[in-house]
Amino acid sequence: MILAVDIGNTNIVIGCIEQEKVYFVERVSTDSSKTELEYVVAFKTLLELYRIRIEEITGCIIASVVPPLINIMKTAMEKLLQISPLIVGPGVKTGLNVLMDNPAQVGADLIVNAVAGLRYYGAPLIIIDMGTATTISVVDNKKNYIGGMILPGVKVSLESLVNRTSQLPRISLEAPKKVIGTNTIDCMKGGIIMGQAASMDGLIERITEELGYPAQVVATGGLAGCIIPYCKKKVIYDNELTLKGLGIIYHKNVEN
């Protein structure tokens, strides 16, 4: 069993994987001010919650888009597991052909998602990851990672709207009963939820036009579950995609 850790700007996604089976997916807040010991305690508590003994974990892999946390998390995992974790980055085998102007600039999370997407859904593929930012990755029919786009995330958009207006309140992320709102709260919910869903539909359509052929679409990320059900395009929701990708990359590099 391996412990997979994906460090995002807002949340750290954690899960245990064995033979491509994901035992759990949990999120804790990303906090660069925490010490290694604080992360050790948090992770130890989480493993105990799922009744997983530390002795059962034989490997660990970390992907991060928050550089200051990489060494902190690496040290924390070494203390907790007595194992040196694999860090996703330059020199790590992924099996993915990245056709970008500067492949080294592609976020580790995007690479991991694409690796899992190819394994489980094939190519061509459009991958949507809805976190602090919403990212879209495109894999063509030759299994090449050819690029994508980055746009403000759902909560980033909502917080910007609330913080820059005088009378709009903070709201929960749930869809209104109907698209045309009849009060401020429902108008905001409709704008955020339906607006994001319509944005995804429109971008999928434009990407497909540029590719010149249809592609399967899969979505992941903490906020995708709020938005994807309201998309008109067919989108598969896979909350475990990133952890599955980390498991695949781990075995590509340290299986032997």
Side-chain angles (χ1 to χ4, degrees), residues 106-162:
V106 182
D109 55 338
L110 304 184
I111 297 296
V112 171
N113 286 341
V115 168
L118 276 171
R119 168 72 67 87
Y120 291 98
Y121 302 101
L125 185 66
I126 299 169
I127 304 166
I128 301 169
D129 190 344
M130 304 187 102
T132 307
T134 293
T135 59
I136 301 178
S137 303
V138 183
V139 178
D140 68 13
N141 56 4
K142 296 179 182 177
K143 300 184 178 180
N144 299 312
Y145 184 104
I146 61 172
M149 54 192 70
I150 304 170
L151 55 152
V154 182
K155 283 191 174 179
V156 170
S157 298
L158 178 58
E159 287 169 5
S160 178
L161 177 65
V162 171

Side-chain angles (χ1 to χ4, degrees), residues 160-170:
S160 178
L161 177 65
V162 171
N163 292 336
R164 298 178 73 90
T165 53
S166 300
Q167 294 183 309
L168 295 183
R170 296 190 179 277

